[in-house]
Amino acid sequence: MASRARPLSLVAPALAALLLALVLAPLLAVGWRGAGISLGPAEWAAVRFSVLQAVFSAVLSTFLAIPVARALARRNFPGRGVLITLMGAPFLLPAVVAVLGLLAVFGRSGVLNAGLVALGLPPISIYGLHGVVIAHVFLNLPLATRMILQSWLSIPAERIRLAQSLGFGPRETFRHLEWPMLREVLPGVALVILVICLTSFAVVLTLGGGPSATTIELAIYQAVRFEFDLSRAAGLAGVQLAIGSIAALAAWLMTSPAGFGAGLGRDLELSAPGGWRKAGDIGALVGVALFLALPLGAVLLRGLPGLGEIPASVLPAAGRSVLVALTSTILATVAALTLALASARRTHLLAEAAATLPLATSGLVLGTGLFLLIQPFAPPMSLALPVTVLVNVALSLPYLYRILLPEARALHADYGRLADSLALRGWPRLRWLVLPRLARPLGFGTGIAAALSMGDLGVIALFAGEHQATLPLVVSQLTGAYRTEAAAAAALILVTLSFALFWAFDAGGRRAAA
Amino acid sequence: MLQLDRLTLTQGTFRLTADWSAVAGSRIAVMGPSGAGKSTLLSAIAGFLTPTTGRILWQGQDLARLTAGERPVTILFQDQNLFPHLTVAQNLGLGVRPDLRLSAADKSGVETALDRVGLAGLGQRRPAQLSGGQASRAALARALLRARPILLLDEPFAALGPALRTEMLELVRRVADETEALVLMVTHDPQDALALGGSLAFVAEGVVQAPTETQALFSDPPPDIQAYLGRK
């Protein structure tokens, strides 16, 4: 390498240090304030419930995903591609919308209870542990299915042909091909979902609560918002951080980078057994399709009539949400691209750390820390939106970085030296080499970041006063106030905006790359 | 004059030394067994590898202070010499101005260079729409346009058939004549070395030997070159 320092080689470490500080400062504030706080029985109950619901959700999502993935792997039917694509959607679905849909099906006046009552059976309640778990399975079963399906389809074709030539039946195929694959992939899948569910807030805010169904995240929220006990919040945030770090580290070590958009449509190699196995596969596919489609259909049905008379708070909140999503997405993309390009050149520990550390935290942990940092200087409420932007940047950075890094590495390996020899540096390098070559992953990654940021309900709940509410918060408030129709209408707007943002960025990237 | 002044290059446990010089405008074929370090030498001159000890000088100036793009060098790699997402004309334009803000004179320069290598009218194509030979010509056109005094060729024609390769060598000679460039060309083929004319630097056992007149070397090869060529 040339000995003279390039300007860019200073930008990346500086940015990495800034991002690390952005995450570490709130964590230190939490540690400072929370140190020595002894947790009472209520807090320990929250810790237990957090872990319990996350473990149930992860295990259930993973095991239910196995038959669905297997059916998708060995059956070919019209609509298979569409179903697999739709499986990618719940990852981007705002959790508040999912909750609303599940309430419409399983809630007090939902379809299921109407049926039970008509049959003379006692109604069931969706609130509490099982409600939280159902919602988490709804949100994560598709993710688990896609991850497992991907490894199902990566069983080498030669091995499948060998098995067929040896006359393996479904039982032997499972034992010698499928089970070894599953044993490899299942722990990673379950851990990824465990991490997601440990930091889930929106679901628990609506479906949890009370002494028996409060997670750490919810307890933090209550401590800050209702009791204004910041020390207790900091203590809880410290525990959450410790648990989250262990789980995130385990998940990080157990999983290879997930290919969200990788093609899952290769020719089928597995034989499709008939008989009860065929019925089982059909059952799994129909079951999962109904489980995913019914709640969303219910939101659509209830929301459409409400669109005519949406509450006045909805449109300004939608505007704020779009603004927050776009700002945080642009900042996160610039940061992730800078870090990925620096890491592609050579191993860059600072960049790696800056892009990974946020995985161990959560919106409410960072939020508590920022609350503690801001409070001596200004009323935290006045900074609700900037704080939300910052936290969204931190939380979407790991996803973006992981999507961009392999592509940046390939770019460097293929064209780095040619570009260097032509003195292609700085802005021209970005303009003529990096942006056109990385347009596709950039579009996809920014789309994901924008949709996640648009639908996120986390830190904003800690900070927002009346005039800073984002759209997910408004949906959640309307749901909590049992204004179902208005909530569904606002949820429809939220879903539309989330997917529109994803689509716009993703399609933009694909078009620029073409 | 290009001077390799007690140069040592290391990559992991691999070590390569060179200590010789060549006057401007020389044609030097770099030959030797696979893994002997031919590409390593070119990488160091192009600025992708920092010497462990010693210096590389051009006209008395130490190149160590210059980045790859600032060196008086054009390099052609084995492949990936053109950016696939840019047109041929843009690929050439990058050689003149990396920000692609080309003046009318720059643009006509690009056209002329394309014309000189037999690619007139193909400037708007993407590299994927070119044959292998045409892609090599485009890369050489950029070398012509840049007219840097050192031209490094790291087996850019290895994937071409014999007839095309002869054509390309012809073109290399023309480009080098026009730009009066010193050429260092890595090759495995004695015929290529002879066709380039000039001298040959043999690389073996961690040493780049000083270039010797190719014709003379082949008519009376020392034992190590004899072994490499497989002659009894």
Side-chain angles (χ1 to χ4, degrees), chain A residues 1-6 410-411 413-425 427-438 512-514, chain B residues 43 47-50 64-71 73 75 77 80-86 90-91 94-95 98-101 126 142 146 148 154:
Chain A
M1 290 298 130
S3 52
R4 195 189 294 175
R6 267 171 289 247
L411 179 72
D414 289 348
Y415 300 106
R417 303 218 302 182
L418 176 58
D420 286 347
S421 82
L422 294 173
L424 203 53
R425 287 193 300 250
W427 169 246
R429 191 182 180 109
L430 205 59
R431 165 80 181 79
W432 295 111
L433 178 63
V434 175
L435 294 181
R437 296 302 297 169
L438 297 187
Chain B
S43 283
F48 300 121
L49 183 68
T50 310
R65 293 170 36 79
L66 301 180
T67 63
E70 293 163 343
R71 296 193 177 199
V73 170
I75 182 165
F77 304 104
Q80 321 271 36
N81 284 303
L82 301 173
F83 295 113
H85 58 283
L86 300 177
Q90 283 176 317
N91 266 292
L94 280 181
D99 59 6
L100 277 182
R101 293 201 189 128
R126 297 278 175 99
R142 189 169 57 205
R146 281 161 65 79
R148 300 275 169 115
D154 194 357

Side-chain angles (χ1 to χ4, degrees), chain B residues 4-232:
Chain B
L4 308 178
D5 176 21
R6 282 167 295 167
L7 184 66
T8 314
L9 306 170
T10 36
Q11 277 185 320
T13 58
F14 176 75
R15 223 173 98 91
L16 187 72
T17 62
D19 187 20
W20 47 263
S21 53
V23 294
S26 313
R27 310 286 152 77
I28 304 168
V30 181
M31 222 162 135
S34 304
K38 305 182 291 290
S39 297
T40 309
L41 176 69
L42 265 58
S43 283
I45 299 173
F48 300 121
L49 183 68
T50 310
T52 312
T53 60
R55 295 179 302 167
I56 302 171
L57 301 106
W58 174 248
Q59 311 295 34
Q61 193 200 1
D62 191 346
L63 294 186
R65 293 170 36 79
L66 301 180
T67 63
E70 293 163 343
R71 296 193 177 199
V73 170
T74 291
I75 182 165
L76 266 67
F77 304 104
Q78 272 195 18
D79 46 20
Q80 321 271 36
N81 284 303
L82 301 173
F83 295 113
H85 58 283
L86 300 177
T87 64
V88 172
Q90 283 176 317
N91 266 292
L92 262 61
L94 280 181
V96 193
R97 288 205 57 154
D99 59 6
L100 277 182
R101 293 201 189 128
L102 301 180
S103 66
D106 291 336
K107 282 183 186 154
S108 78
V110 167
E111 291 303 319
T112 313
L114 282 173
D115 194 28
R116 296 298 264 285
V117 300
L119 293 180
L122 299 188
Q124 290 317 304
R125 293 214 182 162
R126 297 278 175 99
Q129 297 165 300
L130 299 180
S131 69
Q134 286 174 327
S136 297
R137 284 169 188 278
L140 279 170
R142 189 169 57 205
L144 191 61
L145 205 54
R146 281 161 65 79
R148 300 275 169 115
I150 302 174
L151 177 58
L152 304 175
L153 304 168
D154 194 357
E155 294 193 81
F157 315 128
L160 303 180
L164 262 178
R165 232 169 51 214
T166 314
E167 248 177 68
M168 289 305 144
L169 279 173
E170 176 65 30
L171 194 53
V172 166
R173 281 215 306 273
R174 265 181 31 218
V175 170
D177 283 343
E178 269 184 52
T179 56
E180 295 171 10
L182 182 155
V183 179
L184 274 173
M185 181 179 84
V186 172
T187 180
H188 281 106
D189 188 343
Q191 293 308 320
D192 287 0
L194 284 168
L196 181 69
S199 50
L200 184 142
F202 191 68
V203 187
E205 289 170 2
V207 181
V208 189
Q209 297 169 8
T212 316
E213 214 273 310
T214 309
Q215 203 89 48
L217 200 65
F218 281 165
S219 54
D220 182 20
D224 52 352
I225 298 186
Q226 225 170 63
Y228 173 73
L229 294 173
R231 292 194 204 145
K232 293 276 147 69

Side-chain angles (χ1 to χ4, degrees), chain A residues 59-404:
Chain A
V59 170
L60 211 57
S61 300
T62 307
F63 275 94
L64 290 177
I66 296 172
V68 183
R70 178 164 60 182
L72 285 169
R74 67 185 182 188
R75 305 283 168 192
N76 209 352
F77 52 92
R80 177 174 173 273
V82 176
L83 188 59
I84 292 174
T85 307
L86 283 179
M87 291 263 175
F91 187 69
L92 301 178
L93 186 74
V96 287
V97 178
V99 168
L100 195 61
L102 290 168
L103 280 175
V105 176
F106 300 99
R108 197 176 308 167
S109 53
V111 183
L112 185 69
N113 276 331
L116 287 177
V117 170
L119 292 174
L121 295 167
I124 58 152
S125 161
I126 188 164
Y127 296 97
L129 175 63
H130 55 276
V132 170
V133 171
I134 287 176
H136 283 160
V137 171
F138 177 85
L139 285 167
N140 294 303
L141 174 64
L143 178 67
T145 305
R146 278 178 69 99
M147 286 172 83
I148 297 172
L149 177 60
Q150 198 150 37
S151 26
W152 224 295
L153 295 185
S154 63
I155 298 177
E158 295 78 11
R159 207 171 300 164
I160 294 171
R161 276 185 226 128
L162 176 65
Q164 282 164 353
S165 75
L166 291 173
F168 279 15
R171 191 188 305 246
E172 290 81 14
T173 306
F174 181 79
R175 198 168 138 202
H176 296 294
L177 293 183
E178 299 175 330
W179 174 240
M181 176 277 292
L182 287 173
R183 212 172 38 194
E184 287 269 306
V185 67
L186 292 185
V189 174
L191 272 168
V192 165
I193 296 173
L194 186 83
V195 172
I196 295 175
C197 294
L198 272 176
T199 58
S200 154
F201 174 68
V203 165
V204 190
L205 180 65
T206 308
L207 298 179
S212 62
T214 296
T215 59
I216 308 177
E217 294 275 289
L218 187 59
I220 294 174
Y221 167 73
Q222 287 163 347
V224 172
R225 207 61 207 202
F226 302 135
E227 296 148 31
F228 210 73
D229 186 346
L230 290 182
S231 301
R232 185 164 164 252
L236 286 162
V239 177
Q240 170 78 331
L241 180 66
I243 296 175
S245 309
I246 295 166
L249 186 68
W252 189 257
L253 294 175
M254 295 284 302
T255 51
S256 48
F260 289 100
L264 298 173
R266 73 143 208 227
D267 293 336
L268 298 176
E269 299 282 352
L270 291 162
S271 49
W276 65 270
R277 290 192 173 86
K278 184 167 185 177
D281 284 355
I282 293 173
L285 290 174
V286 171
V288 80
L290 284 178
F291 179 53
L292 295 180
L294 279 182
L296 295 180
V299 172
L300 193 67
L301 280 182
R302 291 198 179 181
L304 279 178
L307 279 179
E309 41 199 295
I310 43 173
S313 58
V314 168
L315 285 184
R320 279 191 287 270
S321 277
V322 171
L323 197 68
V324 165
L326 287 178
T327 315
S328 60
T329 300
I330 289 166
L331 291 176
T333 305
V334 171
L337 183 62
T338 311
L339 297 183
L341 289 175
S343 282
R345 219 168 237 285
R346 61 197 163 77
T347 314
H348 202 305
L349 283 180
L350 201 61
E352 191 78 15
T356 312
L357 184 66
L359 284 176
T361 70
S362 75
L364 282 134
V365 169
L366 288 179
T368 307
L370 288 169
F371 202 105
L372 290 168
L373 288 176
I374 292 168
Q375 200 208 5
F377 307 104
M381 307 293 169
S382 63
L383 291 171
L385 293 183
V387 163
T388 307
V389 167
L390 277 186
V391 171
N392 283 346
V393 169
L395 294 182
S396 54
L397 191 63
Y399 289 104
L400 268 167
Y401 178 78
R402 274 203 129 181
I403 290 169
L404 290 178

Side-chain angles (χ1 to χ4, degrees), chain A residues 31-56:
Chain A
W32 184 261
R33 184 72 179 257
I37 301 290
S38 57
L39 301 183
E43 286 79 26
W44 283 116
V47 172
R48 274 198 305 276
F49 182 76
S50 270
V51 175
L52 188 72
Q53 62 83 18
V55 169
F56 274 163

